[in-house]
Amino acid sequence: MNGSFPSGGFNFGASNGSGNPLAGVWDAMEQLRNGFEQRTGGSRMARGDVRAAVIALLAERPMHGYQIITEIADRSGGAWKPSAGSVYPTLQQLADEGLITAEELGGRKTYSLTDTGIAASEEAAEKTAPWESVGHRSPGQHAALPKAGMELASATAQLARTGSPEQVQEGVAVLEDARRRLYAILAEG
């Protein structure tokens, strides 16, 4: 599986050979979730973008690493959530360069800009913030589609579990129509 959605949609009723007729539904739900995760929360940005984002945020106020991660995710509407593995090495590099300092506050390292860091942040302030270049979606919009998709997948699984054969057929028709309509929306734009 390469993480992309199958071009023909999902085969919700097929068995994967395990003897469980709902295995196809669960496989489809897993494909759906993986597709959303790859398109939403896992967006990768260049190390320079992480650096610019950290400096921009610390220009506003001192923060600890987790605050930086969540602030970037919030400001990008969920489109970009840098990993701790990209933020903390960036913080260390900025400290090594003398742009930030770390102070232990409440059991956490809280980072703030030095005078040199403030000068760097003023230069960077003329550019678009990295989280704004991730996409042109409004905050929350990115999270609404995966949530709706997962709720649809959950309802599909419930229908597959408890629905009559006629109800399942009706459900398949609804899902096929929904898929066609979603692609039509993309074609408009």
Side-chain angles (χ1 to χ4, degrees), residues 81-103:
K81 183 176 182 183
S83 68
S86 64
V87 170
Y88 287 102
T90 300
L91 288 166
Q92 183 60 55
Q93 181 182 6
L94 293 171
D96 292 346
E97 294 173 15
L99 297 175
I100 66 172
T101 60
E103 182 180 351

Side-chain angles (χ1 to χ4, degrees), residues 20-104:
N20 179 357
L22 297 178
V25 173
W26 303 122
D27 290 344
M29 286 180 65
E30 186 67 22
Q31 289 173 342
L32 182 66
R33 185 181 52 202
N34 288 340
F36 280 127
E37 286 173 354
Q38 284 193 345
R39 287 163 181 78
T40 59
S43 180
R44 292 192 179 265
M45 300 296 287
R47 174 141 333 256
D49 291 329
V50 173
R51 177 186 175 96
V54 168
I55 290 172
L57 290 173
L58 293 179
E60 295 176 8
R61 70 181 199 280
M63 295 184 188
H64 55 77
Y66 181 73
Q67 285 175 307
I68 291 169
I69 292 168
T70 56
E71 192 68 28
I72 291 170
D74 290 346
R75 292 185 187 203
S76 70
W80 176 31
K81 183 176 182 183
S83 68
S86 64
V87 170
Y88 287 102
T90 300
L91 288 166
Q92 183 60 55
Q93 181 182 6
L94 293 171
D96 292 346
E97 294 173 15
L99 297 175
I100 66 172
T101 60
E103 182 180 351
E104 190 81 23

Side-chain angles (χ1 to χ4, degrees), residues 32 144-157:
L32 182 66
L145 187 61
K147 182 177 186 287
M150 290 306 295
E151 289 172 353
L152 177 63
S154 179
T156 301

